């Protein structure tokens, strides 16, 4: 019973924090709301029986990726005029189209989800099972992920190196 | 006992709501940093759906796909933030609309 309450609590926190993150003018404030949202999703992962995914969500998403964002925002040094410009970009009149499109997509998803029945079984999928699966049938996917990360590393080094060389 | 567990369609509902909020953010923002954050939210929502499906059938496959989504997100953010620095240096602005030409 308690985990049901925790689930709905975490889901509410995730939704509110994400909505706030998308509408803030200050990038750091948005980032902190986003971290709260990711932590709430990690709680949900834990509750639905995926402790390995929950740990990765905290360590990599809320830790590593968000720290990258923090570094870049600090390097850019936007300041007060950045906030003002951001507010000017978020005029109420540009909201109509995106809100309509998102609502249409959500209605379609709702229509497809509505017929799904069943609830999650209790036993958790442990990290051991995930590891056996990763290095058993999915070993090619691990290799591809490694290649992708290498490509990301080389690409970001290339882009960042030219930024540092020519200065400001 | 069945009534006490978390229903699958509520998790999928949460996932689709998060995805729609992310898409809304993607469309209303013009700052590249916020666009990257919205992409993160959308990837995370998709990952939530995968993990929920994996947990529903008691199989580790959902978490394996979550790991792949995680590495895609990490690589995408690393390259994307490099591009943010380049755009800021070249256009002195983070406005996505200033970078609308192939050879600006």
């Amino acid at each position: 019973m308690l985990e049901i309450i925790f689930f709905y609590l975490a889901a509410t926190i995730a939704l509110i924090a994400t909505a706030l993150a998308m509408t803030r003018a200050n990038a750091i404030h948005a980032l902190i709301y986003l971290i709260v949202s990711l932590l709430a999703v990690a709680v949900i992962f834990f509750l639905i029986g995926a402790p390995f995914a929950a740990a990765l969500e905290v360590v990599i998403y809320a830790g590593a990726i968000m720290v990258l964002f923090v570094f870049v925002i600090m390097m850019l040094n936007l300041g007060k005029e950045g906030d003002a410009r951001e507010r000017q970009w978020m005029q109420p009149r540009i909201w109509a189209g995106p809100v309509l499109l998102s609502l249409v997509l959500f209605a379609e998803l709702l229509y497809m989800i509505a017929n799904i029945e069943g609830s999650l079984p209790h036993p958790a999928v442990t990290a051991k099972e995930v590891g056996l699966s990763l290095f058993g049938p999915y070993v090619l996917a691990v290799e591809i992920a490694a290649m992708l990360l290498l490509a990301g590393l080389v690409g970001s080094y290339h882009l960042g190196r030219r930024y540092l060389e020519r200065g400001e | 006992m069945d009534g006490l567990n978390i229903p699958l369609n509520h998790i999928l509902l949460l996932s689709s709501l998060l995805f729609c909020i992310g898409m809304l953010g993607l469309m209303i923002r013009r700052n590249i940093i916020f666009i990257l954050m919205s992409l993160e939210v959308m990837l995370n929502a998709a990952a939530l759906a995968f993990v929920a499906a994996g947990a529903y059938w008691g199989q580790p496959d959902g978490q394996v796909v979550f790991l792949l989504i995680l590495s895609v997100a990490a690589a995408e953010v690393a390259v994307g933030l490099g591009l943010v620095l380049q755009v800021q240096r070249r256009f002195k602005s983070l406005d996505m609309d200033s970078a609308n030409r192939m050879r600006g």
Side-chain angles (χ1 to χ4, degrees):
Chain A
M1 194 61 214
L2 201 60
E3 65 181 24
I4 303 266
I5 297 170
F6 279 164
F7 169 71
Y8 288 112
L9 214 59
T12 315
I13 291 171
L15 285 175
I16 292 173
T18 311
L20 284 173
M22 293 294 102
T23 51
R24 289 305 93 179
N26 189 316
I28 289 285
H29 293 173
L31 204 60
I32 289 170
Y33 278 121
L34 197 56
I35 291 173
V36 170
S37 155
L38 292 175
L39 290 177
V41 172
V43 169
I44 291 171
F45 282 164
F46 197 77
L47 288 176
I48 65 178
F52 184 59
L56 282 182
E57 177 93 5
V58 173
V59 172
I60 297 181
Y61 253 118
I65 294 179
M66 292 300 126
V67 165
L68 264 183
F69 271 106
V70 170
F71 280 155
V72 169
I73 291 169
M74 286 164 93
M75 274 176 87
L76 293 176
N77 196 13
L78 296 172
K80 287 252 190 315
E81 56 271 20
D83 290 7
R85 199 173 53 230
E86 200 65 35
R87 282 200 192 86
Q88 185 203 330
W89 282 347
M90 270 198 298
Q91 300 284 348
R93 65 188 160 79
I94 65 161
W95 280 66
V99 167
L100 187 71
L101 286 174
S102 298
L103 280 180
V104 168
L105 177 68
F106 180 64
E108 285 175 3
L109 287 171
L110 201 63
Y111 176 71
M112 293 204 283
I113 289 169
N115 295 324
I116 294 173
E117 304 240 327
S119 53
L120 296 174
H122 217 57
V125 179
T126 57
K128 186 182 172 188
E129 289 175 64
V130 179
L132 282 175
S133 183
L134 265 179
F135 288 95
Y138 285 104
V139 71
L140 186 64
V142 175
E143 301 280 345
I144 291 171
M147 293 295 287
L148 181 72
L149 285 174
L150 179 67
L153 178 70
V154 172
S156 57
Y157 174 71
H158 176 69
L159 290 169
R161 186 185 52 130
R162 287 169 59 193
Y163 177 77
L164 293 174
E165 262 176 14
R166 296 182 196 170
E168 278 309 289
Chain B
M1 194 60 209
D2 194 49
L4 282 181
N5 288 340
I6 301 163
L8 177 63
N9 58 358
H10 288 189
I11 299 176
L12 292 178
L13 183 69
L14 171 68
S15 160
S16 47
L17 262 174
L18 282 177
F19 190 88
C20 288
I21 293 174
M23 198 176 82
L24 183 64
L26 186 74
M27 288 190 285
I28 61 174
R29 304 309 291 243
R30 284 170 68 183
N31 190 326
I32 308 177
I33 290 182
F34 284 95
I35 289 176
L36 283 175
M37 281 188 207
S38 312
L39 283 175
E40 287 304 304
V41 170
M42 288 166 77
L43 279 173
N44 195 41
L48 177 62
F50 271 111
V51 173
Y56 176 65
W57 277 286
Q59 297 291 322
D61 306 52
Q63 292 185 54
V64 170
V65 177
F66 172 73
L67 216 69
L68 296 182
I69 291 177
L70 208 65
S71 48
V72 168
E76 174 245 326
V77 159
V79 175
L81 290 175
L83 284 173
V84 168
L85 294 180
Q86 286 291 323
V87 168
Q88 167 75 9
R89 187 178 64 84
R90 195 160 296 184
F91 301 108
K92 304 288 177 227
S93 153
L94 287 174
D95 188 357
M96 203 61 196
D97 294 355
S98 64
N100 59 356
R101 290 191 200 158
M102 294 292 273
R103 288 185 65 87

